[in-house]
Amino acid sequence: MRRLQLEMRTELQAPASKVFDFVADHTNAPRWQSGIHDIRRITPGPLRVGTEHELTRRFAGMRVVARNRFIAYEPGRFVAFEIPSGKMTGVASYLVEPTGAGTCRLTSNVDFHVGGLARFAVPLLTVIFKRDDEKALAALKVLMDHP
């Protein structure tokens, strides 16, 4: 197993509550994360610790089907979720902090463990993850900055 860690930040011209509500609802992911083709919530009720999703995405040329589960949830501020099984397992999170009247900062963190033959490609996978995150944050900026 090898670790893939990445932290990305972006400043947004939108209220923190709006940004958090959007990114914490993972069913919105296909609107701003180009690699995700399908995601559905598989637990009923409001978002909370224990909320689970199933998703299909393309990553590094591969089709990946995975599940995630919320392991921390602070409404309006922070959500962390784990991907408990697969070739890449680990934790990702979004932290949304107000920076002014109607503006905020989003910090995205990924801390994955990569197994199998893919562990030898962690440096390349890190570059791909960073590129994909930069595209996603740019798309989110457009969605949030220009309603």
Side-chain angles (χ1 to χ4, degrees):
M1 287 277 189
R2 293 195 54 196
R3 283 177 85 178
L4 185 158
Q5 295 176 294
L6 185 63
E7 179 175 283
M8 304 284 291
R9 287 189 181 99
T10 192
E11 305 292 325
L12 298 160
Q13 300 296 315
S17 60
K18 176 183 175 184
V19 173
F20 180 82
D21 289 348
F22 189 80
V23 300
D25 181 352
H26 287 194
T27 62
N28 288 322
R31 294 180 57 198
W32 64 287
Q33 296 180 32
S34 62
I36 296 181
H37 297 287
D38 181 51
I39 188 163
R40 67 183 180 86
R41 189 172 307 143
I42 55 177
T43 51
L47 298 177
R48 65 190 184 289
V49 171
T51 294
E52 292 187 48
H53 297 88
E54 185 173 80
L55 62 108
T56 305
R57 76 175 301 151
R58 291 226 43 89
F59 179 73
M62 299 177 293
R63 181 180 177 269
V64 178
V65 177
R67 278 192 165 187
N68 72 27
R69 178 177 40 248
F70 285 12
I71 57 172
Y73 186 78
E74 297 173 34
R77 184 176 185 282
F78 181 74
V79 62
F81 48 98
E82 69 177 345
I83 291 121
S85 61
K87 292 177 185 172
M88 280 198 280
T89 61
V91 176
S93 65
Y94 300 123
L95 171 66
V96 181
E97 302 169 289
T99 55
T103 63
C104 66
R105 175 182 307 112
L106 171 68
T107 303
S108 168
N109 273 292
V110 172
D111 186 1
F112 288 156
H113 299 278
V114 182
L117 291 175
R119 74 182 182 278
F120 298 112
V122 165
L124 176 61
L125 293 174
T126 301
V127 169
I128 293 168
F129 245 96
K130 186 173 189 221
R131 183 201 64 208
D132 287 355
D133 254 11
E134 287 170 348
K135 284 184 192 175
L137 292 176
L140 180 64
K141 195 171 191 55
V142 169
L143 285 170
M144 294 293 109
D145 293 355
H146 307 287

